[in-house]
């Protein structure tokens, strides 16, 4: 399968005249179509709600698009909670799935109408201390341990994950929370990351639905919702077949009918917490070839670096690259495509066959719409890039400006020489 950019070379040339590379570009049309498809896939469940994982793409312009389709926000920190509040999320629109949480963040979440999703049984005491009570609606995160397998293939290793409660702990947590005033409960679990199979969610759903029946029988707790979290991945590689969200939704529905309905739990709402699936394919990093180097290998240096996209350097992750205007030329040149950081892992591609790249060529690095800009940092004093939205009507707008040296030096409040330095520029 061929991966085709959602933007043309002509449009990129138009954008670059106003906003220099590198920058992240997002596809409004694709985001809207995907959000609509998710909503339709789970329309069989009356209470369904997607809580977009803010950590994946923390940009209010993009999250507001998802809000138009009924999406809320899944937050993991104080600043993410503040962003959710700022863009108008109301009571019940925020899920707070944090871990190792400062108690003041529990209080802020409750103050703005968020649902606390407890990562650990010891956090019950922290919440009670922060709020002076236990909320009437609360959720607990579950970790079954061991390995999670599909068709004998290991998908991930929950037993090695720092998140969630053991099977015994979650039963005990429900009992304690119920005794302290909780009236409606949720359960949440994340067992595998970036799965490219329509089987993952239905298998996770079965495990969670069976747990819900057990919890209700053993504790008498009323299960209001089951949060299947994230884990639905995207096809980063051309040879992968993308997930079909409608097939996934139907698979979850069948398990719901098999497990929850016979147990008298047909009113349970299904929540999701998707990040990568919602935004990943609808963003790209646009960069320009600025240097070539011929030593033991052939290198192409671009004006982006791991500051703009950390995943290849951090995980060895694959991101497809299109050399714009050369889509139909043979990929007969073997390159490492690199950034300028003083780190040898600052490479977007290693031993990648691409068309011959000339200086000034525009490269599109695919599938950076989630965990792309968001994971950026300022190593080597590098500045974060702009974010731009390609609108449905073909226009484009800046949705986050590029950082400047003033931003980088802004926290040196007690070192006035930096203010003088900037004034002299």
């Amino acid at each position: 399968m061929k991966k085709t950019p959602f933007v043309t070379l002509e449009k990129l040339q138009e954008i670059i005249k106003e906003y220099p590379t590198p920058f992240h570009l997002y596809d409004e049309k694709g985001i809207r179509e995907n959000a609509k498809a998710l909503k339709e896939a789970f329309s069989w469940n009356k209470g369904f709600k997607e809580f977009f994982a803010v950590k994946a793409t923390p940009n209010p312009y993009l999250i507001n698009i998802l809000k138009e389709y009924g999406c809320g926000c899944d937050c993991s920190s104080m600043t993410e909670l503040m962003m959710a509040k700022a863009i108008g999320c109301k009571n019940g629109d925020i899920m707070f799935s944090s871990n190792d949480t400062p108690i003041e963040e529990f209080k802020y979440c409750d103050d703005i109408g968020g649902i606390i999703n407890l990562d650990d049984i010891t956090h019950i005491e922290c919440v009670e201390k922060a709020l002076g009570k236990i909320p009437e609606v609360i959720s607990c995160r579950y970790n079954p341990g061991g390995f999670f397998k599909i068709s004998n293939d290991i998908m991930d290793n929950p037993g090695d994950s720092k998140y969630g409660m053991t099977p015994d702990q979650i039963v005990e947590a429900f009992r304690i929370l119920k005794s302290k005033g909780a009236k409606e409960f949720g359960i949440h679990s994340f067992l595998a990351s970036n799965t490219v199979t329509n089987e993952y969610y239905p298998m996770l759903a079965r495990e969670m639905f069976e747990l819900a029946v057990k919890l209700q029988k053993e504790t008498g707790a009323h299960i209001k919702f089951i949060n299947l979290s994230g884990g639905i991945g995207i096809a980063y590689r051309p040879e992968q077949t993308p997930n079909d969200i409608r097939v996934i939704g139907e698979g979850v529905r069948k398990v719901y009918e098999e497990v929850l309905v016979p147990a008298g739990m047909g009113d349970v709402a299904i929540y999701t917490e998707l990040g990568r699936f919602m935004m990943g394919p609808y963003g790209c990093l646009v960069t320009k070839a600025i240097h070539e180097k011929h030593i033991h290998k052939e290198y192409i240096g671009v004006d982006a670096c791991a500051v703009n996209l950390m995943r290849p350097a951090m995980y060895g992750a694959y991101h497809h690259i299109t050399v714009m205007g050369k889509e139909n030329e043979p990929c007969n040149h073997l390159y490492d495509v690199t950034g300028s950081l003083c780190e040898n892992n600052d490479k977007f591609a290693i031993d990648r066959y691409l068309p011959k790249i000339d200086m000034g060529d525009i490269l599109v690095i695919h599938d950076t719409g989630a965990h792309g800009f968001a994971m950026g940092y300022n190593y080597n004093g590098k500045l974060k890039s702009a974010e731009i939205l390609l609108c449905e009507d073909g226009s484009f707008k800046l949705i986050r400006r590029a950082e400047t040296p003033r931003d980088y030096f802004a926290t040196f409040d007690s070192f006035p020489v930096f203010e003088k330095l900037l004034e002299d520029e």
Side-chain angles (χ1 to χ4, degrees):
M1 179 177 165
K2 187 175 181 180
K3 287 184 82 74
T4 304
F6 58 77
V7 62
T8 64
L9 174 59
E10 292 71 28
K11 179 58 68 173
L12 284 177
Q13 290 169 334
E14 181 185 347
I15 296 171
I16 289 169
K17 286 179 183 176
E18 190 167 348
Y19 303 110
T21 55
F23 54 78
H24 283 271
L25 183 69
Y26 302 93
D27 176 23
E28 180 184 4
K29 183 173 183 288
I31 293 168
R32 288 187 180 279
E33 289 175 351
N34 192 50
K36 183 181 177 185
L38 173 69
K39 189 174 181 179
E40 291 173 355
F42 285 89
S43 60
W44 54 266
N45 183 258
K46 185 178 178 181
F48 174 74
K49 192 174 184 69
E50 153 69 3
F51 290 84
F52 174 67
V54 173
K55 61 181 172 286
T57 320
N59 189 300
Y61 290 91
L62 301 176
I63 298 172
N64 271 332
I65 295 173
L66 298 181
K67 279 184 64 189
E68 293 181 34
Y69 298 86
C71 299
C73 289
D74 177 79
C75 302
S76 57
S77 69
M78 179 71 88
T79 45
E80 288 182 359
L81 288 170
M82 291 170 71
M83 180 180 289
K85 180 188 176 186
I87 64 176
C89 286
K90 296 182 172 55
N91 191 47
D93 287 341
I94 300 169
M95 186 72 62
F96 187 39
S97 300
S98 61
N99 69 97
D100 194 17
T101 310
I103 63 170
E104 60 269 19
E105 296 189 9
F106 285 130
K107 184 175 189 313
Y108 185 77
C109 173
D110 188 67
D111 287 345
I112 64 175
I115 300 167
I116 294 172
N117 184 27
L118 288 175
D119 180 65
D120 189 65
I121 193 169
T122 62
H123 293 178
I124 296 172
E125 184 180 340
C126 298
V127 170
E128 195 170 25
K129 183 177 179 182
L131 311 185
K133 62 176 183 179
I134 292 296
E136 291 190 358
V137 180
I138 197 161
S139 178
C140 291
R141 189 165 182 168
Y142 174 63
N143 185 334
F147 293 94
F148 185 77
K149 297 182 180 181
I150 295 178
S151 303
N152 294 321
D153 291 330
I154 294 174
M155 301 298 294
D156 222 319
N157 181 6
D160 198 38
S161 167
K162 70 175 182 175
Y163 306 109
M165 305 180 197
T166 68
D168 289 341
Q169 285 176 339
I170 198 167
V171 173
E172 182 63 17
F174 267 48
R175 289 189 175 128
I176 294 170
L177 290 164
K178 191 166 181 282
S179 73
K180 291 179 178 290
K183 291 183 169 55
E184 295 183 310
F185 291 78
I187 53 175
H188 167 288
S189 192
F190 182 91
L191 300 186
S193 178
N194 193 37
T195 62
V196 190
T197 168
N198 295 327
E199 295 180 52
Y200 169 64
Y201 242 31
M203 286 194 67
L204 169 64
R206 185 175 294 280
E207 183 151 348
M208 295 299 287
F209 295 169
E210 290 174 351
L211 173 65
V213 173
K214 170 184 166 72
L215 287 168
Q216 181 160 287
K217 284 181 178 176
E218 293 190 12
T219 69
H222 176 242
I223 310 293
K224 180 181 181 181
F225 64 85
I226 295 171
N227 188 339
L228 299 177
S229 70
I232 298 178
I234 63 174
Y236 284 103
R237 294 178 178 271
E239 65 270 18
Q240 290 178 304
T241 301
N243 286 319
D244 186 329
I245 196 61
R246 290 181 173 84
V247 172
I248 291 170
E250 177 61 15
V252 174
R253 185 196 67 77
K254 287 180 179 177
V255 180
Y256 190 98
E257 295 288 339
E258 290 174 14
V259 179
L260 291 180
V261 173
M265 299 174 68
D267 62 340
V268 173
I270 300 300
Y271 292 168
T272 57
E273 182 190 290
L274 302 168
R276 193 190 315 263
F277 179 80
M278 298 304 293
M279 290 284 187
Y282 313 109
C284 63
L285 176 59
V286 181
T287 185
K288 189 177 289 186
I290 59 172
H291 288 291
E292 56 186 327
K293 185 171 185 177
H294 315 284
I295 50 171
H296 307 292
K297 299 180 76 173
E298 295 294 302
Y299 293 96
I300 295 293
V302 296
D303 57 6
C305 64
V307 162
N308 308 106
L309 178 63
M310 192 196 292
R311 294 186 73 254
M314 187 173 185
Y315 303 122
Y318 179 94
H319 281 265
H320 199 65
I321 297 175
T322 296
V323 183
M324 299 301 289
K326 298 182 177 180
E327 293 88 343
N328 297 318
E329 293 187 14
C331 294
N332 54 8
H333 284 64
L334 188 64
Y335 293 120
D336 281 14
V337 180
T338 74
S340 59
L341 288 187
C342 296
E343 284 287 345
N344 195 46
N345 65 356
D346 182 20
K347 297 175 180 179
F348 295 112
I350 297 173
D351 294 331
R352 184 81 58 88
Y353 279 103
L354 294 166
K356 183 181 184 303
I357 297 175
D358 297 302
M359 297 304 93
D361 278 350
I362 298 169
L363 279 60
V364 162
I365 302 178
H366 291 248
D367 301 318
T368 69
H371 310 292
F373 180 96
M375 295 179 73
Y377 58 117
N378 289 115
Y379 187 56
N380 281 182
K382 296 290 185 178
L383 304 175
K384 295 179 186 177
S385 67
E387 292 183 293
I388 298 166
L389 181 64
L390 179 61
C391 303
E392 282 188 294
D393 63 5
S395 63
F396 56 91
K397 67 179 178 181
L398 185 69
I399 57 173
R400 190 195 301 260
R401 66 166 174 81
E403 286 185 336
T404 67
R406 183 174 293 275
D407 297 314
Y408 182 77
F409 296 127
T411 50
F412 293 117
D413 294 339
S414 60
F415 211 98
V417 68
F418 285 105
E419 188 66 31
K420 181 68 168 64
L421 172 71
L422 293 165
E423 287 173 358
D424 291 343
E425 284 189 343

